């Protein structure tokens, strides 16, 4: 078995044996056969590396092919034509009304999905653009993983936004061209704004302590400089005087960014930096409004080509302001609660959920008088929440006076939390520039979100604020919601919440303002990214049913969506991909829908669908609360995963806590990523079969006929096509004491008898085999019921090359099983060593079993050092025959145990990357 093809063939043969005995596990058997060859010397780690490298190439090719499929057509000329075809209006007024407001706001976040190296991302994006997603394209040596830092994340986000801006400008030019042909006397009045961009990279404080206020200011200044330079380049020929003014302003912003990149710890240094930024300067530009008006006036009397360029540039300025796009600050609700308690003098006595708190906040907001603030006040502020508002005040006053700033509040479950944010916005004089947006993602927030919105919008102070800003903002979180209640129930609960927002706005006479709904979903199925098309991706987050609630009420809709981290930025990896992505989004029309379409029966037959939803959610919650599920998901800690971001994936814990890790310690992305690596997206698939079994016989027919039902099952089938319960069970067998005791039993592996028996003895009391078996059994029962349901619902989008993908994943899983066995055998064979820092040999073994390999290697290298003085370092007169050839210190231990352990683990991480690529995203 020296080639991938031979491994695939062998796995296919082994699958046939499942008909002989239902307990036979072909994935584990293939892993055992590879392990035997590895341990008897027939195969080396170098041979395994070549197999993994080929499968890595296959995974990258699958990634590129998937991207091409989602965005097809990718050619710029084809998308120019597609954009032209979107102009359907018969009058200029209708056309101008449609395209003067963005079809979508697109937010680039720094979620830790930077799975691919920068070079791999470049090659995948290039292949996707050219439609050359074949393995040969990616046959390159394995690259060292990039170090992912906040700086690299920000640079990647800016590059993606810049490509998006280029694509949007091209779309604006196409719209202006269409307008000039259809309405030659009016087209210069058109103000195109097809989309907006935003980011929270460098502004998100939720769960992070590594982002200081000066980081946010520096990023905002560098973004301003970058955008001003690009505006200048756009206008170099059409408006050279304006271009020169913009270039000078860009240089000034660059100097300010450089100053704020310095160490500002000392008061004198901060004072100098602050005075430099706040001082008047001829090239300091904080508003583009006068320039936009001038450019649009110039367009009136210019030739067609020049006028088009001027209007494209002014449209870009309207969209992005003095930055690469809008920025989103983010804090946690608890941070706001702590800040408001201190401000009201209530400390911990104030119950945020009480009517008394609402009354106090009403009074506080009404009486609040704006306070002046400066960078010194920002520097000494200890409250994270207040620091955010102080930073926003400085940005509005000294960097960009025009662009709104979003204040996202994570884990927001009380209307008083929003009122607290309004209080601070008014207190620091930015209430007319800040859009406060509660995030609904927890089970409690989704269950009670309707009542939350009713209560919030009934507050006169909030309604006045919404009219001042011209919009009501909310944020929904598919990622955490999908983790807590399952992706299907989460989507339906969020959809219902969106509908409740429309109802609350109508009930409280707020139909005269827009509804901005920021749907934050990841790039994987488990985190809310529908995998079959961009239209499904758009509609999954904000369904036509939900959109109709707003359209019928006469409420303007501002949909906002995310492209998260490195996985999301791939959609904007080249100019052509960015254009294709935006064009597919415009075609989906996230801010539009036909209000007269008959209601989907899925929403009419709540006697069936509501119970179906509740039963799926109940099963998902049963898993989440189950010790079996928690133990299985955390059995290997996060050791199967690469570092994919600058944000910590879990809270720190000691060794004993690590043995009993809770799902609450793991964030949504690594939780989903672990499910991928274990072989079964539980939070997408589980519960559907069980829910269908207890439902009416009418349910399958309803789901098959309903557009919403069919969309749900397109997602479900896509996940199920890559899932393997046998793989889940296989990982449990690694901890099976009987397996290790029996492996050398027939005398075929006598050289492994000692380490196998040592493992068997150590694992006698280990619970993980039983845990994985119980989980696999529960999943199997549910899956059998699901297959009955799927037989009644047509497969509209069968996964291309489904069986080959499944076999490739199966081979990768088998290779990792062999690598893990190699690591187990190596660590148990390491000679005994003395306990140090309260870490014993058994502790190191447990580190390996939970894949805390870096920790284990550090302890082993401490116990067996190879760097020490050499006898040749000394000049002494008397001779010495020692050390002789046999006294080579611990070098042999490193060569035989420590280095192979490290090498095997690095290979296992490359397996993880390949599996994630076949799934289409990390996490």
């Amino acid at each position: 078995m020296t080639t991938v093809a031979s491994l695939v063939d062998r796995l296919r043969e082994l699958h046939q044996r499942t008909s002989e005995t239902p307990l036979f596990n072909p994935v584990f058997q293939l892993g055992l056969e590879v392990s035997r060859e590895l341990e008897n010397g027939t195969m080396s780690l170098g041979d395994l590396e070549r197999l993994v490298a080929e499968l890595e190439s296959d995974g990258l090719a699958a990634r590129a092919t998937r991207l091409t499929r989602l965005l097809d057509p990718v050619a710029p000329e084809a998308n120019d034509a597609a954009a032209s075809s979107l102009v359907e209006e018969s009058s200029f007024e209708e056309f101008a009304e449609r395209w003067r407001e963005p079809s979508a706001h697109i937010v680039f976040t720094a979620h830790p999905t930077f799975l691919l190296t920068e070079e791999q991302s470049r090659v995948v994006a290039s292949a996707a653009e050219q439609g050359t997603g074949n393995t040969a394209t990616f046959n390159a040596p394995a690259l060292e993983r990039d170090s992912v830092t906040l700086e690299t994340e920000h640079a990647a986000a800016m590059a993606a936004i810049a490509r998006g801006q280029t694509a949007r400008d091209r779309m604006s030019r196409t719209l202006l061209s269409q307008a000039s042909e259809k309405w030659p006397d009016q087209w210069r009045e058109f103000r195109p704004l097809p989309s907006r961009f935003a980011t929270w990279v460098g502004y998100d404080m939720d769960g992070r302590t590594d982002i200081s206020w000066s980081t946010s200011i520096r990023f905002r200044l560098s973004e301003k400089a970058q955008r001003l330079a690009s505006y200048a380049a756009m206008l170099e020929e059409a408006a050279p005087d304006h271009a020169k003014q913009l270039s000078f302003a860009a240089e000034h912003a660059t100097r300010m960014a450089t100053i704020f990149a310095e160490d500002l710890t000392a008061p004198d240094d901060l004072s100098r930096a602050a005075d430099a930024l706040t001082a008047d300067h001829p090239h300091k530009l904080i508003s583009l409004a006068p320039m936009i008006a001038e450019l649009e006036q110039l367009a009136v009397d210019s030739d067609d080509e020049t006028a088009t360029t001027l209007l494209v540039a002014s449209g870009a300025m309207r969209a992005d302001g003095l930055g690469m796009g809008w920025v989103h600050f983010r804090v946690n609700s608890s941070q706001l609660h702590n800040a408001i308690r201190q401000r009201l003098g209530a400390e911990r006595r104030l119950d945020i959920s009480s009517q008394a708190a609402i009354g106090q906040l009403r009074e506080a907001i009404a009486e609040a008088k704006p306070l002046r603030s400066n960078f010194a006040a920002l520097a000494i502020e200890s409250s994270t929440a207040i620091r955010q508002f102080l930073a926003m005040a400085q940005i509005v006053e000294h960097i960009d006076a025009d662009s709104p700033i979003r204040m996202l509040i994570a884990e927001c479950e009380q209307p008083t939390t929003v009122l607290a944010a309004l209080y601070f916005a008014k207190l620091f004089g930015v209430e007319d520039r800040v859009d406060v947006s509660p995030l609904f993602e927890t089970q409690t927030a989704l269950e009670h979100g309707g009542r939350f919105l009713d209560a919030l919008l009934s507050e006169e102070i909030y309604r006045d604020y919404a009219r001042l800003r011209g919009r009501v903002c909310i944020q929904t979180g598919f990622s955490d919601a999908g983790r807590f209640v399952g992706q299907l129930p989460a989507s339906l609960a969020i959809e219902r919440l969106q509908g409740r927002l429309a109802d609350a706005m109508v009930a409280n006479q707020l139909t005269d303002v827009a509804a901005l709904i920021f749907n934050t979903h990841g790039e994987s199925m488990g985190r809310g990214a529908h995998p079959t098309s961009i239209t499904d991706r758009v509609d999954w987050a904000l369904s036509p049913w939900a959109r109709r609630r707003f359209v019928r009420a006469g409420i303007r809709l501002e949909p906002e969506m995310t492209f998260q981290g490195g996985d999301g930025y791939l959609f904007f990896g080249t100019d052509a991909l960015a254009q294709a992505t935006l064009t597919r989004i415009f075609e989906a029309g996230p801010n539009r829908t036909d209000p007269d379409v008959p209601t989907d029966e899925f929403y009419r037959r709540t006697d069936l669908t509501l119970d179906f939803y509740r039963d799926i959610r109940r099963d998902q919650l049963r898993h989440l609360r189950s010790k079996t599920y928690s133990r299985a998901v955390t059995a290997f800690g996060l050791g199967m995963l690469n570092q994919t971001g600058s944000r910590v994936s879990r809270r720190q814990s000691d060794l004993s806590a690590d043995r009993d890790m809770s799902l609450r310690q793991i964030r949504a992305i690594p939780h989903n990523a672990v499910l991928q690596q274990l072989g079964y997206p539980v939070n997408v698939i589980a519960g559907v079969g069980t829910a269908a079994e207890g439902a009416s016989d009418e349910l399958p027919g309803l789901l098959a006929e309903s557009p919403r039902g069919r969309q749900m099952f397109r997602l479900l089938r896509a996940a199920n096509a890559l899932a393997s319960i046998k793989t889940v069970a296989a990982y449990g067998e690694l901890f099976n004491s009987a397996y290790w005791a029996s492996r050398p039993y027939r005398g075929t592996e006598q050289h492994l008898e000692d380490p196998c028996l040592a493992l068997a003895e150590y694992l006698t009391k280990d619970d993980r085999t039983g845990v994985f078996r119980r989980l696999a059994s529960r999943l199997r029962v549910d899956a059998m019921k699901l297959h009955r349901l799927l037989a009644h619902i047509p497969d509209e989008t069968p996964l291309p090359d489904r069986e080959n993908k499944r076999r490739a994943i199966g081979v990768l899983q088998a290779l990792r099983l062999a690598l893990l066995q190699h690591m187990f055998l190596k660590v148990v064979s390491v000679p005994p060593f003395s306990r140090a820092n309260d870490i014993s040999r058994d502790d190191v073994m447990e580190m390996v079993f939970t894949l805390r390999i870096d920790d284990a290697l550090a302890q082993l290298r401490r116990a067996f050092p190879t760097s020490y003085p050499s006898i040749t370092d000394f000049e002494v007169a008397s001779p010495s025959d020692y050390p002789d050839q046999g006294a080579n210190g611990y070098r042999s231990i490193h060569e035989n145990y420590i280095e192979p352990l490290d090498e095997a683990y690095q290979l296992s991480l490359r397996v993880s990357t390949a599996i994630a690529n076949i799934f289409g995203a990390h996490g």
Side-chain angles (χ1 to χ4, degrees), residues 758-772:
L759 282 168
E761 186 173 4
Y762 182 86
L763 294 170
T764 300
K765 297 179 181 179
D766 196 279
D767 66 329
R768 280 168 281 199
T769 297
V771 162
F772 277 98

Side-chain angles (χ1 to χ4, degrees), residues 361-383:
L361 278 164
R362 285 193 201 110
E363 185 177 340
I365 294 170
E367 296 177 354
K369 303 297 181 185
L371 302 177
R372 293 181 301 169
S373 62
N374 58 24
F375 280 99
L378 177 55
I380 65 173
E381 180 56 52
S382 60
S383 163

Side-chain angles (χ1 to χ4, degrees), residues 78-87 99 171 174-175 178 583 586-587:
N79 285 304
D80 289 340
S84 297
S85 70
L86 292 173
V87 179
W99 292 104
M171 176 70 178
T174 297
L175 292 172
Q178 290 286 300
T583 306
F586 296 149
E587 289 172 345

Side-chain angles (χ1 to χ4, degrees), residues 403-418:
S403 300
I405 299 174
R406 194 77 51 81
M407 169 53 85
L408 304 172
I409 308 173
E411 299 181 5
C412 187
E413 298 178 352
Q414 301 294 338
T416 42
T417 309
V418 176

